[in-house]
Amino acid sequence: MTSSSDILNARILVVDDRKGNVELLHGMLSSAGYTSITCTMNPREVCDLHRANRYDLILLDLMMPGMDGFQVMECLREIESSGLQVQSQGERTALPVLVITAQPQHKERALRAGAKGFITKPFDRLQMLTHIHDVLEIRQLQKQLQKFAVRSEGVSEEKIFPRETGDLFDQLAGNLPQVFWIWDVHDQTFRYINPEWEKMTGQRVGRGDRLEKIFEAVHPEDMERVLREAADLPRGGVDHDYRLLLPDMSIRWVHSRTFPIKDSAGVHRIVGVMDDITQRKQADQQLLQVSRYDALTHLPNRILFYESLRKVIKQSEMNHRIVSVLFLDIDNFKNINDTLGFALGDELLREFSLRLLECLRVTDIVARIGGDEFGCILVSADDLGNAGLVASKIREALRQPFDLQGHQVTVTASIGISVYPIDSIDADTLVKNGDTAMYQSKTAGRDTYRFFTPEMNIRAIEKLDQENALRKALDREEFVLHYQPKVDLSNGWVTGMEALLRWKRPEHGVVEPLEFIPALEQTGLITRVGAWVIESVCRQIAEWRHAGIGEIPVSVNVSGRQFSRSTLNQDVIRATQANGIQPALLEFELQTERALRENSIDSDLLELELTESSLMIHAKKTVSILQRLKALGIQISIDDFGTGYSSLAYVKRFPIDVLKIDRSFIQEITTNSADAAITTAIIDMAHSLHVRVVAEGVETAEQFDFLKGRGCDEVQGFYLSPPLPANEISQLLLSGNRRLKPTPCRPNTGESACSS
């Protein structure tokens, strides 16, 4: 039977062209108790030495001058094929080689060449000695198997493996700390498996069980690979790692190695050894975490950032994607450390990293490059502007102060952007360009972003200038409201107004809503500006009332973002109360308001217009909000109806007062039968639900007459009046003429000239 002395007396050959490596390996083996060690720095001597000494194990460096490790293994195979190492029963011993390599890509080729495993540079003493011990122990077991593995028809299994042989195996394999098994290639059942398998998994596998019995414990995610590799067992050894899923749902990592046992007819037995490597995997994972992730923020570090960027670029080459690299630096971060200390500085970095993650998609990559520098990798199909939108989103997210143990700290960031493949196709160059662009942001005054490419930078600067101007526009009173009358089709009387936002930007004139509303949405300024609009409209209603014009209902467009954040109720309540417009609150409060304010204005003079998409983003939540608004007495309308969901079912769900038919249907209502049919259907549907209908964008007498003939309730558009400043509306209404005369658009002016 095999003993520890047998293993320690095994003949070992060390082959490496570097003297330092040879001495290091010899010292490790000697200190572990191995007594028969031969060393050579000349790979051309290996085959002659092996012919003379028949080594139990050869530690073979792969990369050597004159003759590399692959050529040495080819020579060793020739020795075997010549019959110099034929053992009993005609079995040829497999190559007793562990290769020494620092190159992972060489491992698969070395396995195909006959190597039994690897020793990785730099050397891990414990791991190396364990691997050597396992290989030598298995080799001794193979020798015992070879003595009794007789293949002959009519010979019983008892004669092939007599009782004393079984006892010997129990002694040999039962003492192994690894799982050890023997599998019969021909009937595909186990001939032996030691107790370690049951100890490891809690699962009993015995003689006669098929290989599938072990598969029951394999983790489902590794099953396909294990089955594929199991199919290769009859052709030779397999060396791989995979996971076991135990009955208590815990996971163990195992390393499995198999060795073929041959006779004159070929491979007839497979010997397998399985080690529990869970602790090693956990240690590797911890090492990976330390080497690839930032300890403070738990984001990928600089090393993993570069690796990820190279991988993303390679994938984008095949998929024709655009990769944007954002390089961020926190402005004046040193002042935080100097004034609040490093502990709070670290806390700021952690909180900063969380805000970055909230600004990006799950598929994007965020990393801490070092200190107060961060990097982001964005992948998009063809949207060059996506990086700019993300940069704006990050800048906006930073405007909320960080709470650092009671200290309210607001920080900004300078951001540089480079784009693959426009700026470079090389990862290192992209990062360098992004860093350069970031310093351009610093030079430009911080709290901004810059592209590396000049053309994109010009557009980015224009966008940033607009954003900065919008942030100051409200305080500088640059926003104004124009009002477009709505007219009752049955009598031509003005029934109300729609408030429309305009921006009088210095040195740019009046900016159209389509040019600045999207920027308000992206920066989040829409919430503040929307509140200002509601307050201004309520104030204007009160002014018209005090001027003797009467009670003029006004509708206000509400942003989907403003609506979804549920800030609308507070805005409306504050504005109505401040301007003497009594919301329909509790009866006691209503009576108190009536007693205090003799000239109160009913809250149904305020109408909120929401688009179909705004209503449907969070339908359940939306219904609740609208019901509360209705409880205040406020009117609700759906704007641009017909361009979104246009479903009768959802109109029934919401407390809607008005449907506004989108101008795209009105434009060709007299020339396009489909638009005419849709418009007619919308009017009929709304009336069946007792909902008023307003058609917007009416520009011709023919459109006016068509809508009047179909029973539409109200219209608005340039045919009756363009949007006008509040003072001009006041003059119009003070004249006492509440019935508007048509003012058709000039011929061929197009939609832009006649749109509100």
Side-chain angles (χ1 to χ4, degrees):
M1 82 182 253
T2 302
S3 65
S4 297
S5 60
D6 293 330
I7 294 174
L8 294 177
N9 290 329
R11 294 183 297 274
I12 301 175
L13 174 63
V14 177
V15 187
D16 197 305
D17 63 309
R18 295 190 177 184
K19 183 178 180 181
N21 288 343
V22 170
E23 292 176 347
L24 178 60
L25 289 169
H26 186 278
M28 287 182 177
L29 292 169
S30 297
S31 64
Y34 291 97
T35 59
S36 182
I37 308 165
T38 304
C39 299
T40 180
M41 296 171 58
N42 184 359
R44 298 184 184 278
E45 295 179 351
V46 174
C47 290
D48 290 338
L49 288 170
H50 190 49
R51 286 190 185 95
N53 298 286
R54 297 183 182 179
Y55 293 102
D56 296 299
L57 181 62
I58 301 173
L59 305 182
L60 178 65
D61 186 25
L62 282 181
M63 297 294 102
M64 296 179 290
M67 186 178 187
D68 63 26
F70 296 107
Q71 293 171 312
V72 172
M73 284 190 281
E74 181 65 29
C75 177
L76 292 174
R77 276 201 302 272
E78 292 175 2
I79 294 175
E80 290 189 349
S81 63
S82 68
L84 292 179
Q85 284 193 307
V86 175
Q87 305 296 320
S88 61
Q89 305 303 326
E91 145 59 16
R92 288 196 179 112
T93 305
L95 295 182
V97 173
L98 282 178
V99 299
I100 302 171
T101 180
Q103 304 296 326
Q105 64 269 26
H106 291 156
K107 291 184 176 181
E108 184 177 352
R109 182 184 171 191
L111 274 179
R112 290 198 301 267
K116 292 305 176 188
F118 313 94
I119 294 175
T120 305
K121 296 178 181 178
F123 302 124
D124 181 312
R125 180 180 181 278
L126 180 59
Q127 186 177 357
M128 181 193 76
L129 292 176
T130 300
H131 200 169
I132 290 172
H133 183 277
D134 290 347
V135 171
L136 290 173
E137 193 160 32
I138 296 303
R139 187 163 177 78
Q140 294 295 331
L141 285 168
Q142 283 182 295
K143 289 181 178 180
Q144 296 294 340
L145 276 173
Q146 291 159 8
K147 293 179 181 179
F148 302 104
V150 179
R151 285 183 53 85
S152 174
E153 287 191 16
V155 178
S156 68
E157 191 71 27
E158 179 63 28
K159 289 184 178 180
I160 297 175
F161 291 97
R163 181 174 300 279
E164 59 269 22
T165 303
D167 293 342
L168 178 61
F169 257 80
D170 286 340
Q171 294 177 52
L172 290 172
N175 293 324
L176 284 175
Q178 302 94 352
V179 176
F180 174 81
W181 48 267
I182 305 170
W183 182 66
D184 188 284
V185 172
H186 299 288
D187 63 15
Q188 298 191 356
T189 61
F190 286 102
R191 284 291 173 261
Y192 180 85
I193 186 165
N194 70 348
E196 282 300 312
W197 173 258
E198 187 172 353
K199 290 180 184 178
M200 181 187 293
T201 66
Q203 179 188 66
R204 178 180 290 275
V205 176
R207 180 174 174 177
D209 285 332
R210 299 184 66 81
L211 197 60
E212 289 80 358
K213 188 72 173 177
I214 282 186
F215 294 158
E216 294 175 6
V218 176
H219 194 287
E221 293 180 9
D222 294 341
M223 181 66 73
E224 182 179 352
R225 178 170 56 85
V226 171
L227 289 174
R228 185 171 61 251
E229 292 174 342
D232 292 333
L233 282 177
R235 290 193 286 272
V238 175
D239 192 311
H240 60 190
D241 297 346
Y242 56 89
R243 290 167 293 177
L244 300 179
L245 183 61
L246 305 188
D248 63 357
M249 302 307 292
S250 63
I251 294 175
R252 284 195 179 183
W253 276 95
V254 295
H255 177 69
S256 179
R257 300 185 303 281
T258 57
F259 307 88
I261 303 297
K262 303 177 183 178
D263 61 11
S264 57
V267 177
H268 72 102
R269 294 281 195 273
I270 300 291
V271 174
V273 180
M274 182 184 296
D275 296 276
D276 186 338
I277 59 169
T278 305
Q279 290 185 346
R280 193 180 83 197
K281 282 288 185 179
Q282 291 172 346
D284 290 345
Q285 191 64 36
Q286 291 174 356
L287 182 61
L288 176 64
Q289 186 73 23
V290 170
S291 63
R292 294 291 187 273
Y293 290 86
D294 176 55
L296 179 65
T297 63
H298 304 297
L299 294 176
N301 62 12
R302 176 186 292 270
I303 295 173
L304 186 53
F305 179 79
Y306 273 87
E307 290 178 357
S308 301
L309 181 56
R310 292 187 184 99
K311 184 182 298 183
V312 167
I313 289 174
K314 188 173 183 180
Q315 293 170 346
S316 299
E317 287 176 358
M318 298 181 291
N319 301 328
H320 306 291
R321 300 279 180 171
I322 292 173
V323 181
S324 299
V325 178
L326 277 66
F327 217 77
L328 300 89
D329 183 86
I330 300 176
D331 296 326
N332 301 313
F333 179 73
K334 184 177 182 296
N335 293 341
I336 303 293
N337 281 336
D338 291 344
T339 56
L340 299 180
F342 289 101
L344 291 187
D346 287 347
E347 180 64 24
L348 174 61
L349 292 173
R350 281 191 289 266
E351 294 296 326
F352 183 88
S353 67
L354 293 176
R355 290 203 190 174
L356 278 184
L357 289 169
E358 291 174 355
C359 292
L360 276 74
R361 303 165 299 181
V362 177
T363 54
D364 297 328
I365 297 170
V366 184
R368 184 186 178 199
I369 305 301
D372 61 336
E373 294 183 346
F374 293 79
C376 305
I377 303 172
L378 319 176
V379 181
S380 57
D382 54 7
D383 188 2
L384 288 172
N386 185 53
L389 293 177
V390 172
S392 295
K393 192 174 182 181
I394 292 171
R395 293 175 64 241
E396 188 62 33
L398 295 180
R399 301 201 180 279
Q400 292 298 320
F402 292 90
D403 186 355
L404 305 178
Q405 298 182 18
H407 299 276
Q408 299 293 312
V409 177
T410 301
V411 300
T412 60
S414 297
I415 306 172
I417 305 171
S418 61
V419 180
Y420 163 91
I422 297 172
D423 296 326
S424 177
I425 59 173
D426 174 69
D428 293 339
T429 306
L430 279 175
V431 173
K432 179 182 177 182
N433 292 344
D435 191 48
T436 299
M438 184 267 290
Y439 278 103
Q440 291 174 358
S441 299
K442 292 280 188 186
T443 305
R446 298 180 170 84
D447 187 24
T448 186
Y449 65 89
R450 290 289 185 268
F451 282 89
F452 180 77
T453 302
E455 293 77 11
M456 296 178 66
N457 210 32
I458 291 172
R459 294 197 295 271
I461 292 172
E462 291 174 351
K463 181 176 174 58
L464 282 170
D465 287 343
Q466 184 191 63
E467 287 182 12
N468 292 331
L470 281 172
R471 294 184 189 283
K472 301 172 184 176
L474 201 56
D475 296 332
R476 294 177 176 176
E477 299 182 351
E478 294 172 4
F479 289 120
V480 296
L481 292 177
H482 287 188
Y483 296 86
Q484 186 173 41
K486 300 178 189 176
V487 173
D488 188 324
L489 273 169
S490 64
N491 55 30
W493 284 86
V494 174
T495 57
M497 303 285 168
E498 179 180 2
L500 298 163
L501 185 64
R502 299 291 186 264
W503 179 22
K504 290 185 176 180
R505 185 179 178 185
E507 301 180 3
H508 289 76
V510 177
V511 182
E512 291 299 317
L514 286 177
E515 295 184 28
F516 69 88
I517 293 295
L520 291 176
E521 293 272 4
Q522 292 163 9
T523 59
L525 290 170
I526 192 67
T527 301
R528 185 178 170 215
V529 174
W532 174 84
V533 170
I534 291 175
E535 289 184 11
S536 299
V537 165
C538 291
R539 189 163 50 249
Q540 186 62 61
I541 293 173
E543 289 178 6
W544 283 332
R545 181 197 63 197
H546 292 308
I549 293 175
E551 309 285 16
I552 305 297
V554 179
S555 62
V556 177
N557 291 286
V558 179
S559 158
R561 180 167 179 173
Q562 183 185 3
F563 187 60
S564 64
R565 286 189 173 184
S566 303
T567 58
L568 190 57
N569 274 4
Q570 290 75 19
D571 296 339
V572 171
I573 293 171
R574 184 173 60 254
T576 53
Q577 290 178 335
N579 293 285
I581 304 172
Q582 297 180 15
L585 301 174
L586 297 176
E587 184 177 357
F588 174 78
E589 291 171 318
L590 179 59
Q591 291 172 348
T592 302
E593 288 291 327
R594 286 177 178 173
L596 294 174
R597 304 177 189 278
E598 294 180 359
N599 298 314
S600 62
I601 298 172
D602 291 337
S603 56
D604 61 3
L605 294 175
L606 179 64
E607 179 181 308
L608 303 179
E609 295 186 5
L610 301 111
T611 63
E612 295 179 74
S613 57
S614 298
L615 290 171
M616 295 302 292
I617 288 175
H618 302 290
K620 186 175 180 179
K621 177 182 176 183
T622 300
V623 170
S624 177
I625 295 173
L626 291 181
Q627 288 172 344
R628 293 199 299 270
L629 292 171
K630 287 294 294 180
L632 297 173
I634 293 167
Q635 300 290 292
I636 307 296
S637 69
I638 301 180
D639 195 16
D640 300 335
F641 188 82
T643 60
Y645 297 86
S646 306
S647 167
L648 177 62
Y650 89 74
V651 173
K652 290 172 62 178
R653 292 175 56 191
F654 296 109
I656 303 300
D657 299 292
V658 179
L659 288 184
K660 296 190 72 175
I661 304 175
D662 185 68
R663 68 179 64 252
S664 62
F665 296 105
I666 305 304
Q667 187 175 11
E668 298 182 4
I669 199 172
T670 58
T671 58
N672 187 309
S673 59
D675 287 348
I678 291 172
T679 301
T680 302
I682 291 174
I683 294 171
D684 293 341
M685 177 193 73
H687 286 166
S688 69
L689 297 172
H690 307 291
V691 173
R692 299 196 320 276
V693 181
V694 177
E696 55 184 349
V698 176
E699 300 174 359
T700 67
E702 291 79 11
Q703 294 168 352
F704 183 92
D705 293 337
F706 178 93
L707 292 165
K708 184 176 182 179
R710 297 303 188 278
C712 185
D713 299 297
E714 301 173 27
V715 295
Q716 69 182 87
F718 273 65
Y719 178 68
L720 300 164
S721 173
L724 299 172
N727 62 327
E728 294 186 30
I729 291 292
S730 298
Q731 293 173 8
L732 176 69
L733 298 178
L734 281 171
S735 67
N737 184 11
R738 299 287 291 271
R739 182 179 285 124
L740 293 181
K741 295 180 180 180
T743 55
C745 294
R746 295 187 303 276
N748 301 321
T749 55
E751 182 181 351
S752 61
C754 296
S755 66
S756 57

